[in-house]
Amino acid sequence: MPSTCWECGAICGSLLTVQNERVTKIAPNPAHPASTGAFCIKGIRGAREWTDQAVRLRSPLRRVGDRGSGRFERISWDDALDETAAALRKVRAAHGPLAIAGAVSGAFFSRGLFMALLMRSLGSPNWLINQDLCGGCRGVSQKMTGLDVAGGEDIDNANCVMIVGRNPAIADPPQWMAIKRAKAKGAKIVVIDPFRSPAVEIADLWLRPAPGTDGALALALTHVLIAEDMYSREDVEHWCHGFDALAERVRPCTPEWAQRETGISASDIVTAARVYGEGPSCIVTGHGIDAASNGVQTFRAYECLIGISGNVDRIGGNRRSKKPPGFRTYFDILFDSAFRLPADVEEQRIGAAKFPLWSGPLGFQMACHNPSVIEAILTGNPYPIKALYMSGVNIAVTYPDTKRTIDALKSLDHVVVAAHTMTPTAAWADIVLPKTTTLEEEQVHIHQGGPCVTFTAAAGRPNGDVKSDIEIARGLIERLAADGDADERFLPWRSQAEFNRFLLADSEVDIDLLKKTGFYTFPFEQRNFHSKPFATPTGKIELYSETMASVGHDPLPNYIPPSYRHTTPDIQAIYPLVLQTGLREKSYHHSRFREQAWARKVSPDPIVYIHPKTAEDYGISDNVWIVVEVAGGSGSCRLKAKITDDTLPGVLTTGVGWWLPEAPAPHFGARDVNINHALPYGSRWDRASGSADTRGLACRLELLTDAALSEREET
């Protein structure tokens, strides 16, 4: 059976073997036009085991002890939804609809859209997404420049592939295969990354900037293209807004200046600019330049480079997003006036006043500023949040400042979590709802890699008394609408299948053919800038952003030094090292799959990479445990050392999402081995996205003795 894997954003084409209403095998689909047979172990092992594993949640649970005690009892779905609806009704009556919030990963997956629409049906504009920590800076930047490119869309036809802060070998197997194909055909590979990823092994040029200085490098690359007349005069004249202002901005950003900021030689910067400028060239950006207080400006610098180079929608360049005529995406519905609250209500969304380009009507997904919601829960400022419904998200692990997040969960009047397994977030719930997995859900989505429409099949019978996100949302809305506490028009579809038919209704895509093949390719036109202008006030690529200027932000890309370079000498003396987080692992996707034995066998412990010189300075050897603390953080994190020159001297590089299902509830190790326990969640935020620094942070380490390790584990 053809399908599409939805365990991460790569969404690879798959082939499912189904026996006795159970998926017994998952394999790649070589015919899929976007993934072309690429796949990863998470899709092969993780999805199936998540569906069938013994520890899966298979029925609703009600808390019976104190919140966080870890004691629950089984209840029926009617009881679970009745009690949840009653609790939401009570909060709504006492504090108003704005006191109710939802949390989910984001609108890339349909569960995010359903959460937003559920909140709107209750009269609340408040929903939280993880994108301030994952892709949000890129999303805001693309909206400001009008460059609707996902990154790496036409690698196969590129003469130069520039990889910026991304590890495609781990994060995106189809992208990695395309890069290797391009290399085999003679394309030049330029890697920009302080960490040695597998892409470095095939790179023609490796630029290794000091953490958080990628923006300075991008401005210098732009300087070289303009100074050496290697930009596209045609694109600049007809399709770019603000070129003269950009040229003046980057005039002092010489390669020599960038060398001082980044540590990369000026000659290598010039070489990289010339290789890219020859084109056609495709830039592949990743989370390495995201989730930081300079993230939006860094992304804008690279997107302006794309804009002036002539590589927008060019064969071998960065292709704009495509879709069949009439097809509705999740974002189309999210911004559709028919499914939006009145403007005066949207303006009250938490974060909208301070971060209008994130939480306001001009925002990326019009979601809350997460740290401000935590503040509202704990202090009632700007108004109280009393109930929180979370689905498919593990905020007790994924949000920085773990202690403060857990304090917020403890203080709420009502907490509901929809999940597949008991997690450090679900452990704090009053009601736990068992969700369907991606093998039990039907999804329709656009894949820009094809581009094509992809279909995810609901293969076999659900394993347990579980429900999908839309079923849960509809169940709550129907109960609340009876007394006027919810408006059904915001979520009118009664099943995922009905919703998918709505997405396709006005398009040329045949749902039966889509189910049969797993994908639908459609004709598209490139460089159709006249018929499809850029979604900006000027209809052009905005090198000078009129939207950013309208809210008082710097309208041109600028270099903002990373957090550790803003610390005072006395803080630097205490925290002399630099922390880089976000390193990807093949066996995990953020906090997911931590309970699966195969994944823990591959990666049993949280690792921190330490340069040999740093290890020597601190007396650290391979496989010893250390404790990491961050300037401004309220906790610490225990990590196992790996000595390697893959990371820079003085830089500690680690991953995200660690928790230990075998550890005691409710924390399950989230306040021990989770790097977010050591991080602050602000207050140095990106002005546009509200993103906090999760990398480029001043830190220190301490060797953990055997006695201290035993005491820490017991605690």
Side-chain angles (χ1 to χ4, degrees):
M1 173 188 296
S3 188
T4 305
C5 177
W6 267 68
E7 292 308 319
C8 77
I11 49 176
C12 303
S14 62
L15 296 173
L16 308 180
T17 301
V18 182
Q19 296 178 342
N20 298 322
E21 299 185 283
R22 287 282 183 271
V23 175
T24 58
K25 182 181 179 181
I26 303 173
N29 184 358
H32 196 278
S35 56
T36 62
F39 222 62
C40 78
I41 187 64
K42 294 187 289 290
I44 292 173
R45 292 289 301 271
R48 191 159 62 88
E49 293 200 21
W50 215 344
T51 303
D52 296 332
Q53 63 187 348
V55 296
R56 181 182 181 182
L57 296 171
R58 289 180 168 83
S59 62
L61 302 175
R62 176 200 291 132
R63 174 174 61 84
V64 294
D66 294 335
R67 186 176 291 164
S69 66
R71 290 186 286 138
F72 294 90
E73 64 180 1
R74 289 187 177 186
I75 57 174
S76 69
W77 269 103
D78 280 340
D79 285 346
L81 294 175
D82 286 346
E83 292 179 21
T84 299
L88 297 179
R89 183 180 291 111
K90 182 178 179 181
V91 167
R92 198 174 188 274
H95 304 281
L98 274 64
I100 303 170
V104 74
S105 56
F108 180 81
F109 300 103
S110 64
R111 61 176 174 264
L113 175 63
F114 297 147
M115 178 64 77
L117 297 182
L118 170 61
M119 291 300 111
R120 292 176 186 180
S121 76
L122 301 176
S124 174
N126 291 321
W127 69 303
L128 296 79
I129 60 176
N130 275 11
Q131 265 58 51
D132 66 321
L133 306 166
C134 178
C137 290
R138 174 171 52 196
V140 172
S141 174
Q142 289 178 339
K143 192 157 188 176
M144 296 304 101
T145 61
L147 266 184
D148 49 343
V149 295
E153 297 84 357
D154 200 11
I155 292 169
D156 278 295
N157 295 307
N159 287 336
C160 168
V161 182
M162 182 174 282
I163 306 168
V164 187
R166 185 165 178 81
N167 186 354
I170 302 297
D172 196 320
Q175 196 174 75
W176 180 231
M177 286 180 63
I179 291 169
K180 291 193 290 185
R181 288 194 300 267
K183 173 71 174 180
K185 291 191 293 185
K188 299 294 185 182
I189 309 298
V190 179
V191 175
I192 299 172
D193 201 322
F195 189 83
R196 181 187 285 110
S197 70
V200 172
E201 304 307 316
I202 65 169
D204 297 277
L205 183 62
W206 179 20
L207 305 183
R208 200 175 194 185
T213 63
D214 306 81
L217 174 58
L219 295 176
L221 294 171
T222 304
H223 171 100
V224 175
L225 252 63
I226 295 175
E228 298 192 0
D229 200 22
M230 296 186 72
Y231 63 93
S232 169
R233 289 186 175 273
E234 178 185 358
D235 279 23
V236 164
E237 180 180 353
H238 297 290
W239 301 114
C240 291
H241 172 70
F243 175 76
D244 290 343
L246 175 68
E248 182 61 25
R249 171 60 58 88
V250 303
R251 185 181 57 79
C253 300
T254 63
E256 291 73 22
W257 166 81
Q259 177 176 315
R260 294 190 295 272
E261 292 294 331
T262 67
I264 302 169
S265 72
S267 61
D268 279 350
I269 294 172
V270 172
T271 299
R274 289 172 177 169
V275 170
Y276 177 78
E278 289 174 1
S281 299
C282 186
I283 288 185
V284 180
T285 56
H287 295 323
I289 56 174
D290 214 314
S293 58
N294 61 6
V296 171
Q297 288 289 41
T298 298
F299 270 108
R300 289 184 68 219
Y302 282 100
E303 285 166 5
C304 287
L305 181 65
I306 296 171
I308 70 169
S309 66
N311 285 301
V312 177
D313 231 16
R314 176 187 185 184
I315 299 295
N318 288 89
R319 187 171 59 229
R320 295 179 72 191
S321 296
K322 311 294 180 182
K323 66 177 183 177
F327 182 91
R328 297 180 179 93
T329 68
Y330 303 155
F331 280 78
D332 290 335
I333 298 171
L334 192 67
F335 283 87
D336 189 331
S337 59
F339 300 101
R340 290 180 64 169
L341 291 166
D344 62 324
V345 178
E346 288 190 346
E347 289 170 359
Q348 298 178 70
R349 183 179 297 114
I350 291 181
K354 189 171 185 179
F355 301 104
L357 301 184
W358 182 261
S359 301
L362 300 174
F364 164 48
Q365 295 184 28
M366 298 186 296
C368 294
H369 181 239
N370 295 354
S372 297
V373 174
I374 301 297
E375 174 74 10
I377 294 171
L378 292 171
T379 69
N381 180 35
Y383 52 78
I385 296 290
K386 294 294 185 179
L388 183 61
Y389 168 40
M390 295 164 279
S391 179
V393 68
N394 191 2
I395 71 171
V397 173
T398 57
Y399 285 11
D401 200 345
T402 302
K403 179 182 181 301
R404 187 168 171 83
T405 300
I406 291 174
D407 286 345
L409 293 175
K410 290 162 63 175
S411 69
L412 286 160
D413 288 359
H414 198 69
V415 179
V416 182
V417 175
H420 301 116
T421 62
M422 185 57 65
T423 67
T425 301
W428 293 99
D430 300 297
I431 299 289
V432 180
L433 305 175
K435 282 167 51 73
T436 49
T437 70
T438 55
L439 295 181
E440 300 163 337
E441 297 174 353
E442 178 182 300
Q443 300 275 351
V444 171
H445 197 264
I446 289 282
H447 195 309
Q448 294 302 333
C452 61
V453 178
T454 66
F455 181 76
T456 298
R461 177 170 47 86
N463 189 354
D465 190 12
V466 297
K467 292 185 183 295
S468 67
D469 283 277
I470 193 170
E471 290 176 301
I472 296 170
R474 282 294 312 178
L476 292 173
I477 290 172
E478 288 167 4
R479 285 165 169 79
L480 290 163
D483 295 323
D485 292 314
D487 188 339
E488 293 189 76
R489 70 181 175 88
F490 287 98
L491 193 62
W493 314 281
R494 284 168 170 75
S495 68
Q496 187 83 43
E498 184 181 341
F499 171 70
N500 290 338
R501 288 194 294 272
F502 174 80
L503 298 180
L504 301 173
D506 296 331
S507 76
E508 61 195 21
V509 184
D510 183 281
I511 185 66
D512 293 325
L513 179 62
L514 188 60
K515 290 180 178 181
K516 183 177 180 180
T517 61
F519 59 86
Y520 175 85
T521 56
F522 52 89
F524 62 91
E525 182 182 356
Q526 291 188 248
R527 295 190 68 82
N528 56 335
F529 303 156
H530 286 287
S531 59
K532 186 188 176 186
F534 297 91
T536 59
T538 62
K540 297 181 178 183
I541 301 167
E542 293 203 350
L543 314 174
Y544 179 103
S545 170
E546 296 292 345
T547 301
M548 296 191 79
S550 72
V551 296
H553 293 182
D554 190 342
L556 292 165
N558 198 7
Y559 170 57
I560 301 171
S563 175
Y564 64 94
R565 290 192 176 172
H566 288 272
T567 54
T568 59
D570 57 327
I571 295 296
Q572 290 176 3
I574 301 171
Y575 299 95
L577 303 174
V578 177
L579 178 67
Q580 285 287 86
T581 69
L583 200 67
R584 298 293 188 256
E585 296 184 67
K586 286 186 176 181
S587 49
Y588 303 118
H589 182 218
H590 303 312
S591 71
R592 302 168 76 163
F593 310 126
R594 303 288 168 171
E595 78 289 348
Q596 296 191 10
W598 67 270
R600 290 294 293 279
K601 184 177 181 180
V602 173
S603 178
D605 300 305
I607 299 297
V608 59
Y609 294 85
I610 305 175
H611 190 274
K613 177 64 168 63
T614 310
E616 181 182 358
D617 291 344
Y618 285 84
I620 304 297
S621 57
D622 253 339
N623 296 318
V624 301
W625 288 95
I626 67 167
V627 171
V628 175
E629 294 182 356
V630 175
S634 60
S636 63
C637 177
R638 173 171 62 97
L639 304 167
K640 183 171 281 189
K642 181 175 182 179
I643 313 304
T644 174
D645 63 1
D646 288 349
T647 193
L648 287 165
V651 177
L652 308 183
T653 304
T654 190
V656 296
W658 269 94
W659 58 286
L660 304 171
E662 70 274 13
H667 300 299
F668 297 110
R671 295 183 64 177
D672 179 20
V673 296
N674 174 25
I675 192 62
N676 277 331
H677 187 237
L679 305 186
Y681 208 176
S683 57
R684 191 169 179 266
W685 293 311
D686 188 292
R687 288 195 68 199
S689 70
S691 295
D693 286 307
T694 62
R695 54 202 59 157
L697 291 159
C699 72
R700 65 183 180 187
L701 68 80
E702 179 182 341
L703 180 64
L704 196 60
T705 64
D706 290 342
L709 174 60
S710 297
E711 181 180 351
R712 186 181 179 98
E713 288 177 334
E714 289 174 5
T715 304

